[in-house]
């Protein structure tokens, strides 16, 4: 088949899902706009601040508008949060106390957290006497029976940890209904535990956020969905005000919390990024569906199910061998607006156990709301494709791969 025919066939099959993605984007755009109106955002909130940042109106307004857009009581949003991993770590280390146990109900947390959870002598949660237990998903679904058993036999559970997106696993992301069901099951068993959600890649993929489904706290990165491709850095936590206060104390200083912190470059990009986020996320979702359908026509297996609305912006493509996987990453890199001439190679990235290959030619370094692809070099050689500021860009990149495979269009 020719490249153009493959893409046309994929787009035809995607029509119904694209319509639903558009409807979700419209819903979320309204939600975000209403948040801006409710918080009476004005130009002075974009201004730079310096030094301690006392009475920084931009910082306060940014927290408020994110809380409103996420349907949460409170939020801390900051350029000082260096990554999604940092946001998650802040939530864990801010909320938990020595002797407490975290129970993950979605298996092993995302790779980059392993140092923070179990590192020895590096200031990890483990060093501070915080234990981590996990219950794996069963066939990609929350295993309520095993969770019930784990709760019964594990003393001192202070936090339930849920990872919404698939991470480096071949599974569907959880839906917000899955998260609601988990909250409803766990709350009566552990009324005082904090239910925390790693919300990376999940923001604005559906009509609700975990904080609206009963989760106490959720965390994510601004160089993924909620930064709209415009935020230059940063992360957030959103949820119950009592937890946000603890997280702010960990971010800065106990007792000062959210009263300090400046940003000399000004906050405009974070506000504008949030405003763009519903649309940008929809572009990435459509790109993911297109990539999935095209790769399946080419005979590869992909995840999530191409017949359903994706619940995160990741498209996993299983190659089964290193050569095809590397070639795919090379083609994505070659279709990047920045560093298109660079050849990505596998390397030992900080925070990851296996070698990782990353294709990214992004305006914001490492931004995975921009079209990017990464893969740990391990069986079964799965590439994780994500992002795309525009649907058109994803389409051009996929066409580049198809053409390289001999589908001349
Ligand atoms: C990206 C991601 C993280 C970590 O975020 P970084 O910004 O890369 O540190 C954590 N969890 C999930 C599910 C992610 O996708």
């Amino acid at each position: 088949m020719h490249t153009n025919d493959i893409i046309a066939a994929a787009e035809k099959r995607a029509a119904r899902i694209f319509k639903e993605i558009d409807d979700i984007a419209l819903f979320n755009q309204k939600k975000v706009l209403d948040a801006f109106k409710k918080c009476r955002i004005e130009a002075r909130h974009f201004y730079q601040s310096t030094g301690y940042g006392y009475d920084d109106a931009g910082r306060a307004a940014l927290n408020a508008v994110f809380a409103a857009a996420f349907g949460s009581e409170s939020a801390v949003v900051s350029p000082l949060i260096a990554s999604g991993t940092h946001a998650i770590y802040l939530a864990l280390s801010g909320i938990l106390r020595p002797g407490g146990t975290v129970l993950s109900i979605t298996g092993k947390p995302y790779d980059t957290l392993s140092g923070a959870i179990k590192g020895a002598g590096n200031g990890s949660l483990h060093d501070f006497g915080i234990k981590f237990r996990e219950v794996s998903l069963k066939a990609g679904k929350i295993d309520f029976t095993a969770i019930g058993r784990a709760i019964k036999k594990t003393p001192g559970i202070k936090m339930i940890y849920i990872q919404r997106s698939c991470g480096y696993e071949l599974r569907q992301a959880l839906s917000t209904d899955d998260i609601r069901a988990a909250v409803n099951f766990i709350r009566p068993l552990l009324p005082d535990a904090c239910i925390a959600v790693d919300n990376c890649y999940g923001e604005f993929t559906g009509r609700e956020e975990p904080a609206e489904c009963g989760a106490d706290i959720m965390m994510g990165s601004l160089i993924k969905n909620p930064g709209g491709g415009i935020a230059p850095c940063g992360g957030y936590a959103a949820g119950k005000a009592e937890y946000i206060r603890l997280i702010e104390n960990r971010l800065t200083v106990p007792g000062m919390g959210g009263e300090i912190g400046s940003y000399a470059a000004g906050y405009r990009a974070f506000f504008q990024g949030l405003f763009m986020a519903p649309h940008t996320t929809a572009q990435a979702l459509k790109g993911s569906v297109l990539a999935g359908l095209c790769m399946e026509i080419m005979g590869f297996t992909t995840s999530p199910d191409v017949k359903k609305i994706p619940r995160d912006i990741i498209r996993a493509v299983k190659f089964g061998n290193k050569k095809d996987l590397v070639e795919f990453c090379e083609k994505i890199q070659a279709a990047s607006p920045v560093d298109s001439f660079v050849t990505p190679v596998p390397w030992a990235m900080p925070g990851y156990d296996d070698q990782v290959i990353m294709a990214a030619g992004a305006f914001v370094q490492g931004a995975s709301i921009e079209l990017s692809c990464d893969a740990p070099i391990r069986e079964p050689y799965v590439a994780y494709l994500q992002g795309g500021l525009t649907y058109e860009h994803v389409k051009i990149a996929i066409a580049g791969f198809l053409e390289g495979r001999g589908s001349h269009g």
Side-chain angles (χ1 to χ4, degrees):
M1 254 170 115
H2 288 275
T3 298
N4 287 346
D5 297 334
I6 294 173
I7 289 178
E11 283 186 323
K12 193 156 170 241
R13 278 201 236 163
R16 184 188 56 82
I17 294 180
F18 281 7
K19 171 73 174 69
E20 175 62 13
I21 292 172
D22 286 341
D23 289 349
I24 292 170
L26 177 64
F27 178 91
N28 284 323
Q29 189 69 71
K30 173 92 174 28
K31 195 173 173 188
V32 168
L33 178 60
D34 286 347
F36 275 72
K37 288 162 70 167
K38 179 180 163 218
C39 297
R40 303 177 67 92
I41 300 306
E42 49 185 312
R44 71 186 176 90
H45 294 136
F46 307 158
Y47 298 164
Q48 62 197 60
S49 62
T50 56
Y52 299 122
Y54 294 135
D55 301 317
D56 182 338
R59 185 186 66 223
L62 188 63
N63 291 340
V65 76
F66 264 80
F70 283 157
S72 66
E73 209 175 279
S74 183
V76 51
V77 185
S78 177
L80 308 176
I81 300 176
S83 66
T85 306
H86 187 196
I88 295 165
Y89 169 70
L90 285 172
L92 299 179
S93 59
I95 293 168
L96 294 161
R97 295 293 174 264
T101 295
V102 187
L103 181 70
S104 165
I105 63 163
T106 46
K108 185 167 149 327
Y110 194 71
D111 293 41
T112 53
L113 284 155
S114 80
I117 291 171
K118 60 183 188 204
N122 67 351
S124 68
L125 296 170
H126 171 265
D127 278 353
F128 283 91
I130 294 160
K131 291 185 280 291
F132 223 89
R133 297 280 175 275
E134 55 196 57
V135 172
S136 298
L137 294 168
K138 194 172 171 188
K141 296 249 179 332
I142 294 175
D143 186 347
F144 289 99
T145 317
I147 294 168
R149 232 183 292 128
I151 288 176
K152 230 179 245 148
K153 71 165 204 235
T154 313
I157 296 176
K158 300 295 183 194
M159 180 182 278
I160 294 290
Y161 184 89
I162 302 173
Q163 182 182 306
R164 180 176 178 185
S165 161
C166 65
Y168 285 137
E169 310 279 328
L170 261 183
R171 66 150 164 112
Q172 303 267 106
L174 298 184
S175 70
T176 45
D177 283 337
D178 295 331
I179 293 172
R180 181 179 286 106
V183 169
N184 290 341
F185 177 77
I186 290 158
R187 195 70 84 192
L189 303 175
L190 293 168
D192 300 325
C194 171
I195 301 179
V197 178
D198 169 357
N199 202 29
C200 283
Y201 287 136
E203 301 90 351
F204 302 122
T205 57
R207 289 178 173 77
E208 306 176 298
E209 297 300 329
E212 296 168 290
C213 305
D216 294 312
I217 194 91
M218 59 186 207
M219 302 75 73
S221 163
L222 298 189
I223 64 168
K224 295 181 179 175
N225 310 15
I230 293 178
C233 60
Y236 76 87
K240 299 252 168 73
E242 54 175 314
Y243 293 125
I244 296 299
R245 269 193 297 277
L246 293 173
I247 293 168
E248 287 176 328
N249 277 347
R250 175 61 70 177
L251 172 64
T252 67
V253 181
M256 294 184 191
E259 301 298 316
I260 57 167
S262 65
Y263 191 54
Y267 295 100
R268 186 186 53 80
F270 303 100
F271 287 98
Q272 194 175 351
L274 174 64
F275 184 73
M276 292 297 296
H279 178 74
T280 309
T281 303
Q283 296 290 294
L285 289 173
K286 287 184 178 177
S288 163
V289 172
L290 179 79
L293 286 163
C294 289
M295 295 305 281
E296 295 201 357
I297 291 171
M298 293 295 283
F300 296 102
T301 312
T302 83
S303 173
D305 187 342
V306 284
K307 292 188 282 305
K308 295 193 181 132
I309 311 286
R311 297 164 183 163
D312 63 12
I313 65 165
I314 303 178
R315 168 65 47 192
V317 183
K318 190 162 126 190
F319 289 96
N321 68 79
K322 184 173 166 183
K323 185 177 156 290
D324 283 344
L325 176 132
V326 169
E327 182 189 323
F328 184 73
C329 293
E330 285 171 0
K331 293 294 185 190
I332 298 299
Q333 184 74 40
S336 299
V338 182
D339 293 335
S340 58
F341 50 87
V342 163
T343 305
V345 290
W347 66 299
M349 247 187 89
Y352 293 86
D353 294 335
D354 298 278
Q355 277 203 327
V356 176
I357 183 167
M358 294 218 158
F363 293 98
V364 170
Q365 189 199 81
S368 45
I369 186 62
E370 298 186 46
L371 183 63
S372 51
C373 180
D374 41 68
I377 303 295
R378 67 185 179 214
E379 295 276 355
Y381 299 101
V382 176
Y384 297 85
L385 178 76
Q386 64 264 314
L389 295 179
T390 70
Y391 172 71
E392 293 80 6
H393 181 206
V394 184
K395 191 161 150 178
I396 291 165
I398 295 300
F401 176 75
L402 299 178
E403 266 157 32
R405 305 287 291 191
S407 316
H408 298 287

